[in-house]
Amino acid sequence: MAELIVMTQKNYDDLKKELDYLVKVKRPEIIERIAEARSHGDLSENAEYDAAREEQRSNEGKIAEIEYKLKNADILQEDTDTSYVHLGSVVTVYDEDMDEEQTYTITSVTEVDVMAGKVSVESPVGSALLKKKRGEKATVKCPDGTEYVLKILKIS
């Protein structure tokens, strides 16, 4: 059985929009470039043809990936309750070991952007913070077996 992929309605809609673009716009553009490159003759030494075929493989892989995510989507209703951490929460925490504050946005696996502070509900940090309340401490269990503690300062 396929694994369900937790996401918000907005994320689902964004994925549908991206899929629509890849299928209806990008796919025909790539096919046109392949046909153009093919018309130049010998394909064995045609870098333009090779590049277009590689782009086609990449695009088709992306299409398959998005179709899989949409097919297995588990859409959670957006929750505006700020009394506990849930999908969509923006959480400010204090890392006792590093002696610093950090802010994380709890997202679905399809929206992760670690550099922007967006962590998945399935990540070690996201899963440790889920359902915790302001003032509580969350123990983050790292893949290497180590642990560290985050104190929740603010939830918005």
Side-chain angles (χ1 to χ4, degrees):
M1 181 168 168
E3 180 181 341
L4 289 178
I5 299 170
V6 177
M7 64 180 71
T8 62
Q9 183 64 49
K10 180 191 177 308
N11 186 228
Y12 183 86
D13 294 341
D14 289 346
L15 285 173
K16 283 198 64 109
K17 194 181 298 182
E18 183 179 0
L19 179 63
D20 193 51
Y21 168 77
L22 293 174
V23 171
K24 294 181 179 175
V25 177
K26 194 164 183 179
R27 183 185 273 167
E29 286 176 356
I30 294 170
I31 290 170
E32 192 175 305
R33 279 203 301 281
I34 289 172
E36 174 67 26
R38 190 176 276 154
S39 71
H40 294 145
D42 185 10
L43 299 180
S44 65
E45 295 181 19
N46 190 331
E48 189 179 333
Y49 175 78
D50 292 340
R53 291 290 295 179
E54 182 57 37
E55 186 177 1
Q56 183 182 39
R57 279 188 286 281
S58 174
N59 191 59
E60 294 304 317
K62 241 179 160 174
I63 288 170
E65 178 184 347
I66 293 172
E67 286 174 338
Y68 176 84
K69 288 176 181 176
L70 292 173
K71 178 180 169 193
N72 296 295
D74 180 15
I75 300 171
L76 294 183
Q77 297 299 330
E78 295 202 32
D79 194 344
T80 56
D81 187 349
T82 59
S83 66
Y84 69 100
V85 178
H86 53 78
L87 182 66
S89 292
V90 177
V91 186
T92 301
V93 297
Y94 176 71
D95 183 332
E96 297 176 346
D97 293 339
M98 301 294 284
D99 190 30
E100 66 182 18
E101 285 184 20
Q102 291 186 302
T103 300
Y104 298 106
T105 302
I106 310 301
T107 68
S108 70
V109 294
T110 59
E111 298 174 286
V112 171
D113 182 353
V114 178
M115 298 306 286
K118 294 181 176 184
V119 296
S120 160
V121 292
E122 297 176 13
S123 70
V125 171
S127 62
L129 293 173
L130 272 183
K131 299 183 181 171
K132 296 277 193 280
K133 296 181 179 196
R134 188 175 161 271
E136 287 187 321
K137 292 183 178 183
T139 302
V140 179
K141 297 179 180 175
C142 301
D144 67 0
T146 61
E147 296 180 348
Y148 62 97
V149 176
L150 299 175
K151 182 177 181 183
I152 299 173
L153 303 176
K154 179 180 167 190
I155 303 169
S156 55

